[in-house]
Each structure stands twice: as structure tokens, then as C-alpha cells.
Amino acid sequence: PKTDIVFLKVHKSASSTVMNVLFRFGEMHNLTFAFPIGGGNQLFYPHHFLARFVKGFSPRSPQRFNILCHHMRFLQPEVQKVVSSSAIYFSILRNPVQLMESSFAYYKGTSAFSRAHSLEEFLSQPYHYYNPADSDSHYAKNLMTFDFGFNPDGEVSAKRVQLMLKAIEASFDLLLISEYFDESMVLLKEMLCWDLDSVVSFPLNIRDSSTKSPLSDTIMEKIKDWNRLDWEIYTHFNRTFWEKIDRDIGRERMQQEVKALRERQAELARTCLQGMGSVAPKDIKDSSLRPLQHGNAKILGYNLNQGLDKETERMCRRLVTPELQYSSALYKKQFAQKHP
């Protein structure tokens, strides 16, 4: 199994679920995480990543960390200082239309979105609300482009788009697609030489459908135009994703792998979860399993079955622990005082 991993956690793209997969694997195999100085869940985002943001990093004795997965704005020369040169780099993308709809609800408090009553209103005259100079403007335009380290306000010329795609291809071994999450997990499992249980997950940090709004075709087109760079990234890597499946696995085997993954997930849901699924924030009984609520989004969580044996309870709890709680538990474990 590969243990040196860089995951660029792109916002609002099922990346919290992927992070849970990495947290669990890292914890089981006693791996070190590149945590932000002072804990927290972001590596000084939205600044470009710097090695010195990582707790325990020192240029004099370059300690290598196994897993780098907290929110950052990608900058590869700096990333290379904290991980081994053989590390596997991957990220996840989401259709920019759904991504923007999600961002509008989740980041409602940001300067660009706070004054617009609806996404339609924002898109009818975006520059009335959006100012590229605002420190949080990146949430409102080409968010994936920004997370990958590029300028979200750059011109959309064929040449520039090509350079951007080439740069991403040169840095990343794999780009997952959140709309095909199970297929993505199969590809990830293959690339990292992990077993099935390592990539099984329950969806984390997902919104209650009551806070989602359906989008008209006109709005979808406006979103694509407004996020043209993101759209170029997404369509390109959605294509290469399926090319990779055809080349490395084949559709038939992929179907079998996805079936096995879903069966195992259903089995774990029966074992672990009350009602076998997610519940509204107010219905989560164990406060330590309550996810952070943000913006206008209602973030769902889980209740564990009662009366599980210790080992099973521990496994189930890992699967449903929200990102912030899990991250801080791993941080405490990694930096426990050696001599209390």
C-alpha cells in the first residue's frame, strides 16, 4: 500500500468524505499528517501553500510527512518540501454548476454573495456583487481554478486554458470526479494498492436537500460562462477520467468493483447506522458527531447503532466522525506530550 499522499482538497466537491478515507487509513497505519500550525483545518488558505505552514516542518531538518490533505491553495514547489518525492498526488473535481449552487448556500456570508438574495440575482449582474479585490472573492468565481493555484480572474484564452490543464496534468497522478464517487474510489484504491475497506465511506458534510435549489437551463449556462475556467478543467478531466477507466480497468470490471463497494457500504450502514442513513443536525444524538453548520446550508450527520461491541463501535465511529472533530483528535494524538 502507498502511504505518501498529497490530496488537494477542493471545496464543496465531496472532499470531506475523501478526507475521512485518508484520516482512517492514516490512523490505522500510524502515519503522520501535515497539520496546520496551531491545529485548525486549513493550511492558511486562501494564501498559496508554504512549507512553513506545517507544524513540525523545519528547513534545517526536513521531516517528511505521509499525508497532506487539509485545505490549501496548491503550490507544488512548497508541497514538495514536506512530502516524499515518491508521493502520489490526487484531487477531486465537481461539475461547476452544482459547485456554484452549493457554494452560494454554504458561503452565503462572503462579500460577493451576502447582498444577493438568490443565485439568479447574483448572476444577473455579477460585477455588481463581485469584486476580485475582496479577500474572500475566490468563493464566488472559478473556485477550483483558485484551489489549484491559478488566477480565477485570468482571461479565458485557448492557450491559457491549455497551459493550465498541462500544469495540472504534470502535478497530479489522478483527478477524481465527485459525480462518479464510487468509480473514483475504485480508481483510488487501485492506484494506492489499498483494500476495499480502506475506501468505503459514508457521505460526510452533505446538505439537506431542503436547502438545495433546482436550476433552470438559463442559470446553468450563466454559471458555466461565469466559471469558464472551472468548466474547462472539469470537462477535460471528466473525459480523461473515463479514458483512464477504459485503459486501466475496463467498464465491466469497474461495474463489478463498484457493486462490491456498494454492497460493503450497505453492510456497514446496517451494522453502524440507526435508520441506515443520515439525519438532520437537530436529530444527531451524540454531540461529538455533529458536523459544523455553515452559511444557509443544513449539514447532515449520523447516529450510531446502540450496543455495538467495542471494536465495531470504534470502526463505525471513525466512519461518521465529522472532519473537524476527526482532525483535532488526530492532531492531539500526533502531538501528544511525550513526557506529561
Side-chain angles (χ1 to χ4, degrees):
K2 305 270 197 297
T3 53
D4 292 319
I5 296 159
V6 174
F7 172 51
L8 177 63
K9 185 175 189 292
V10 170
H11 288 77
K12 315 289 0 117
S13 305
S15 55
S16 295
T17 310
V18 178
M19 203 170 184
N20 177 271
V21 166
L22 296 174
F23 279 169
R24 287 180 357 239
F25 187 86
E27 185 180 18
M28 301 283 284
H29 297 84
N30 242 337
L31 304 177
T32 56
F33 289 88
F35 282 108
I37 284 178
N41 62 324
Q42 303 200 340
L43 288 149
F44 294 81
Y45 185 87
H47 297 286
H48 271 107
F49 175 81
L50 295 174
R52 61 182 170 82
F53 296 162
V54 174
K55 184 175 169 78
F57 172 80
S58 141
R60 286 181 302 285
S61 62
Q63 184 207 343
R64 301 292 184 192
F65 298 86
N66 297 118
I67 298 179
L68 174 60
C69 64
H70 286 70
H71 273 309
M72 62 169 159
R73 189 170 182 206
F74 191 65
L75 186 59
Q76 192 163 18
E78 289 290 318
V79 168
Q80 286 167 331
K81 296 176 184 175
V82 299
V83 295
S84 113
S85 56
S86 61
I88 298 276
Y89 287 68
F90 78 101
S91 186
I92 188 164
L93 303 171
R94 182 183 186 185
N95 186 318
V97 174
Q98 279 69 49
L99 180 79
M100 184 157 204
E101 189 275 327
S102 174
S103 298
F104 188 81
Y106 201 79
Y107 301 116
K108 191 70 185 83
T110 58
S111 12
F113 290 154
S114 58
R115 288 177 301 120
H117 292 110
S118 65
L119 187 50
E120 278 165 84
E121 189 181 306
F122 174 84
L123 290 161
S124 65
Q125 40 175 359
Y127 282 106
H128 178 70
Y129 303 102
Y130 173 82
N131 175 0
D134 289 336
S135 61
D136 56 4
S137 67
H138 55 280
Y139 290 118
K141 187 179 189 188
N142 288 317
L143 180 51
M144 294 193 287
T145 302
F146 182 88
D147 285 354
F148 276 93
F150 304 105
N151 174 9
D153 293 292
E155 53 150 358
V156 189
S157 65
K159 186 177 171 202
R160 201 164 165 275
V161 166
Q162 276 311 308
L163 285 170
M164 192 170 68
L165 297 175
K166 286 270 183 297
I168 295 173
E169 273 174 345
S171 301
F172 289 85
D173 300 288
L174 178 64
L175 286 153
L176 308 176
I177 302 289
S178 64
E179 284 77 11
Y180 304 104
F181 192 81
D182 294 340
E183 290 84 351
S184 291
M185 288 300 101
V186 171
L187 279 183
L188 187 66
K189 168 175 87 77
E190 296 285 304
M191 190 177 68
L192 298 175
C193 309
W194 288 7
D195 61 6
L196 182 68
D197 270 16
S198 297
V199 297
V200 171
S201 62
F202 298 137
L204 294 176
N205 206 25
I206 51 166
R207 272 192 303 158
D208 184 3
S209 52
S210 70
T211 63
K212 294 179 184 173
S213 42
L215 304 169
S216 68
D217 291 353
T218 322
I219 290 293
M220 289 192 194
E221 287 310 315
K222 281 184 172 173
I223 293 177
K224 286 180 201 173
D225 280 342
W226 178 246
N227 297 284
R228 181 54 59 186
L229 293 171
D230 273 11
W231 184 250
E232 295 286 350
I233 291 176
Y234 178 77
T235 48
H236 176 81
F237 288 108
N238 185 21
R239 194 178 67 247
T240 58
F241 178 84
W242 292 101
E243 286 168 2
K244 189 175 178 60
I245 288 174
D246 290 336
R247 192 179 61 239
D248 299 350
I249 294 182
R251 300 279 169 123
E252 202 175 320
R253 190 177 139 225
M254 177 53 90
Q255 277 180 328
Q256 293 161 354
E257 294 271 354
V258 165
K259 186 166 173 271
L261 182 67
R262 287 176 182 162
E263 281 168 1
R264 181 64 180 133
Q265 188 175 332
E267 189 186 332
L268 285 168
R270 282 192 296 275
T271 304
C272 297
L273 306 179
Q274 282 181 30
M276 279 186 67
S278 51
V279 296
K282 63 174 179 21
D283 299 323
I284 301 169
K285 301 187 182 91
D286 181 342
S287 60
S288 71
L289 295 180
R290 221 170 267 152
L292 172 77
Q293 301 299 317
H294 203 85
N296 286 353
K298 258 223 267 320
I299 306 297
L300 305 176
Y302 297 94
N303 287 317
L304 292 178
N305 279 325
Q306 299 297 297
L308 299 170
D309 65 79
K310 225 179 178 150
E311 198 46 46
T312 310
E313 208 265 351
R314 195 152 71 226
M315 172 198 66
C316 292
R317 183 170 284 275
R318 284 191 180 117
L319 280 161
V320 300
T321 299
E323 178 187 326
L324 301 188
Q325 288 93 311
Y326 207 152
S327 183
S328 77
L330 291 172
Y331 180 88
K332 287 191 184 108
K333 191 172 158 184
Q334 188 165 312
F335 298 106
Q337 288 339 110
K338 297 289 181 278
H339 310 287

